[in-house]
Amino acid sequence: MKWLTVHLGEIAIDMQPGFAMQPDRGQAGIPHLRTNNVSEDGRLDLSLIKRVMPSKEQIEKYSLLPGDILFNNTNSKELVGKTAFFNENGQFLFSNHMTRIRVDEKIADHRFIARYLHWIWRTGGFRAMVTQWVNQAAINRSQLARIPLSLPPLSEQRRIVEILDQADALRRKRAEADAKAERILPALFIKMFGNPVTNPKGWDAFELGDLCTKITSGSRGWAKYTGRGDAFFVRTQDINDGEISGDLLAVDPPSGAEAERTRLCCGDVVVTITGMVGKAAVFRAQCQNMYVSQHVALLRPRPSLESEYLAAFANFLAGSVPVLARFQYGQTKPGLGFRELRAARIPLPPIELQRQFVSQAQNIRTLRRNRYCAGAKLEELWSTLLQRAFSGQVTARWREAHMQEILAGMKQQAKWLTGESTRGGRQTPRLQQSLFREEMPK
């Protein structure tokens, strides 16, 4: 059974872009949802909210209601199209980079449409549609109205949403468990060594320059050597969660002392010195040639300092930043120079205690790798489920058991879309008639 193909504008009764307003510095006023409030997972993220002091007219025009759909209309090309279902109580408004969508509930389920639009974004379906500027891309209302959708009967839409909600709840629980597991290593560090900032155990502290045989960073001007070769290039974006990414930029380094100076040896610690300063990881690959970029420092510890301990110390959060960031220079463009790194003082526990930590940290890393592999498999299954859901495969057997209900729903769909049904004695408004004419390219 083939689903009906419609344009979003044919089932929408409202597509309203928001308004721009500077946030209140005192964080007073009404929450004003922005691009960061729709996650790449298609969920509403209220962890960071800006508040504004709007006029009465703005409140009336731009308020969100439970059941609304939030579509990210302006962002980088990769992020335009993120979509979330809004189901919050209380007063919320939305910025001009978001579009509020309301669909006719007689023929479309808001949750189904929200998930469908976000699925289109996940699969890259919006990238060819966007209007690209220098630093931004956008989809306007007329483009949004012309997005084609395969629309099953309302009862089947609800069944699909039910299945996806159940699967997504399992993904959310897994993500919560992973977040808790990420706190194990810092907790172990605290238990064994105490807070490295306050050093409550009174370990003797030494400057890093005295605890390392080498502190250096990569060379400038290596861009011409990247994109080819059998070696790899470690950049700031390649160091996250205490690990070096497995997806590195290839590099064909020049021969000579300069390349040898920046080549990593097993046991070296890499530390980001620009951007997000202080992120660290241990280089453990003995059979791979890797080199650090100019934005990454290479630290080679002496025998009295275990690499795993040094990296865990560096990654320990002092407030919201890694502990080594306390030694950075500059405010608008912070960084860590060799002088700051060498002068940074680090508590030095007995080597036997450091080795005990290394042993337990290795077990934690093994568990983390297993979690990552399981998480990647789960995301593959989720992507497959979404594809099957929006192609009708997930509900194939359900349709067979509910054929009469489906046929009745399809008949009702057709009536509403052709304007035969009425609401309150008047024909259902067709938003697309105005939207398809709006902002059309000349």
Side-chain angles (χ1 to χ4, degrees):
M1 182 178 292
K2 192 173 182 180
W3 289 350
L4 189 66
T5 299
V6 299
H7 293 99
L8 182 58
E10 294 180 273
I11 62 174
I13 58 175
D14 177 62
M15 286 185 189
Q16 178 61 59
F19 68 105
M21 179 172 280
Q22 287 294 321
D24 183 78
R25 292 186 177 181
Q27 279 294 291
I30 300 174
H32 192 229
L33 300 187
R34 304 179 178 214
T35 58
N36 64 288
N37 297 122
V38 173
S39 74
E40 295 183 30
D41 218 18
R43 296 182 181 131
L44 203 63
D45 181 358
L46 303 181
S47 59
L48 181 61
I49 289 183
K50 302 294 184 181
R51 293 177 177 269
V52 295
M53 302 291 285
S55 66
K56 181 180 178 181
E57 290 75 17
Q58 287 172 321
I59 293 174
E60 291 176 353
K61 185 174 182 179
Y62 300 109
S63 285
L64 290 167
L65 298 175
D68 285 346
I69 299 166
L70 270 179
F71 179 89
N72 181 198
N73 63 52
T74 304
N75 209 321
S76 66
K77 185 176 181 179
E78 294 74 23
L79 296 179
V80 169
K82 294 185 303 174
T83 308
F85 177 68
F86 180 84
N87 199 33
E88 299 295 317
N89 294 318
Q91 200 162 42
F92 289 83
L93 306 172
F94 56 105
S95 82
N96 58 316
H97 290 168
M98 312 298 292
T99 298
R100 179 189 65 205
I101 302 172
R102 292 172 178 165
V103 295
D104 192 329
E105 60 186 14
K106 293 292 193 299
I107 53 174
D109 184 281
H110 287 80
R111 297 167 300 166
F112 177 84
I113 299 302
R115 284 203 179 275
Y116 199 145
L117 291 174
H118 194 73
W119 174 67
I120 294 175
W121 172 77
R122 276 178 63 103
T123 53
F126 292 125
R127 293 189 184 184
M129 296 176 55
V130 301
T131 302
Q132 181 79 53
W133 297 304
V134 177
N135 296 317
Q136 285 186 323
I139 291 178
N140 63 36
R141 286 207 301 173
S142 62
Q143 291 172 309
L144 191 57
R146 291 195 296 273
I147 292 173
L149 306 171
S150 294
L151 192 69
L154 193 56
S155 57
E156 190 170 358
Q157 293 177 46
R158 290 169 179 160
R159 176 57 180 160
I160 290 171
V161 168
E162 181 183 349
I163 293 170
L164 293 180
D165 282 352
Q166 290 173 357
D168 203 15
L170 295 176
R171 292 176 67 238
R172 190 180 300 234
K173 288 180 180 178
R174 176 57 187 259
E176 291 171 353
D178 286 347
K180 291 180 180 178
E182 287 299 317
R183 298 198 288 267
I184 294 176
L185 188 61
L188 175 65
F189 190 96
I190 285 281
K191 181 179 179 181
M192 295 185 69
F193 307 117
N195 187 316
V197 177
T198 58
N199 191 17
K201 296 183 180 287
W203 309 116
D204 291 336
F206 298 86
E207 292 185 352
L208 267 178
D210 296 328
L211 297 175
C212 295
T213 61
K214 184 176 186 178
I215 296 179
T216 189
S217 68
S219 302
R220 297 177 182 272
W222 271 40
K224 58 188 175 185
Y225 302 121
T226 60
R228 65 184 187 276
D230 298 326
F232 297 96
F233 203 43
V234 181
R235 301 162 296 170
T236 55
Q237 61 265 45
D238 300 321
I239 303 171
N240 291 293
D241 301 322
E243 300 286 348
I244 299 174
S245 170
D247 185 20
L248 297 173
L249 185 66
V251 66
D252 184 16
S255 59
E258 187 64 11
E260 188 61 28
R261 180 184 67 81
T262 63
R263 187 171 66 87
L264 288 164
C265 294
C266 186
D268 286 348
V269 176
V270 290
V271 178
T272 57
I273 55 177
T274 63
M276 182 59 174
V277 172
K279 296 187 298 178
V282 179
F283 176 68
R284 305 182 182 91
Q286 298 186 33
C287 57
Q288 284 187 317
N289 285 327
M290 290 194 189
Y291 299 82
V292 293
S293 79
Q294 68 186 78
H295 304 292
V296 175
L298 181 162
L299 282 68
R300 188 163 295 160
R302 294 183 183 276
S304 60
L305 177 63
E306 284 286 345
S307 300
E308 295 286 354
Y309 171 80
L310 173 57
F313 166 84
N315 286 320
F316 188 89
L317 293 181
S320 59
V321 296
V323 68
L324 281 181
R326 296 182 305 144
F327 303 100
Q328 69 187 12
Y329 61 83
Q331 296 297 323
T332 57
K333 194 175 181 181
L336 269 177
F338 294 155
R339 182 178 61 183
E340 288 79 19
L341 273 174
R342 291 192 179 101
R345 296 183 68 81
I346 173 173
L348 189 66
I351 190 65
E352 295 79 9
L353 191 60
Q354 293 184 49
R355 288 170 180 163
Q356 290 178 30
F357 173 78
V358 171
S359 176
Q360 296 188 53
Q362 288 172 344
N363 293 332
I364 293 171
R365 279 202 318 276
T366 300
L367 293 174
R368 174 192 274 176
R369 283 194 295 270
N370 293 339
R371 288 202 324 273
Y372 283 171
C373 290
K377 182 64 176 178
L378 185 62
E379 284 306 300
E380 288 180 18
L381 292 173
W382 175 244
S383 295
T384 300
L385 178 62
L386 288 172
Q387 191 278 328
R388 289 174 59 84
F390 295 118
S391 63
Q393 298 176 64
V394 162
T395 45
R397 291 186 179 180
W398 181 89
R399 278 198 303 274
E400 293 176 4
H402 297 79
M403 188 56 66
Q404 294 303 317
E405 181 183 354
I406 292 227
L407 291 174
M410 294 179 72
K411 185 176 180 180
Q412 188 64 25
Q413 259 185 350
K415 285 183 177 181
W416 277 87
L417 288 171
T418 56
E420 293 178 24
S421 292
T422 59
R423 180 189 300 160
R426 298 176 60 189
Q427 285 197 340
T428 303
R430 299 181 68 183
L431 181 67
Q432 76 279 8
Q433 292 178 358
S434 62
L435 286 176
F436 285 172
R437 292 193 298 268
E438 183 181 299
E439 301 169 355
M440 290 286 286
K442 297 180 180 180

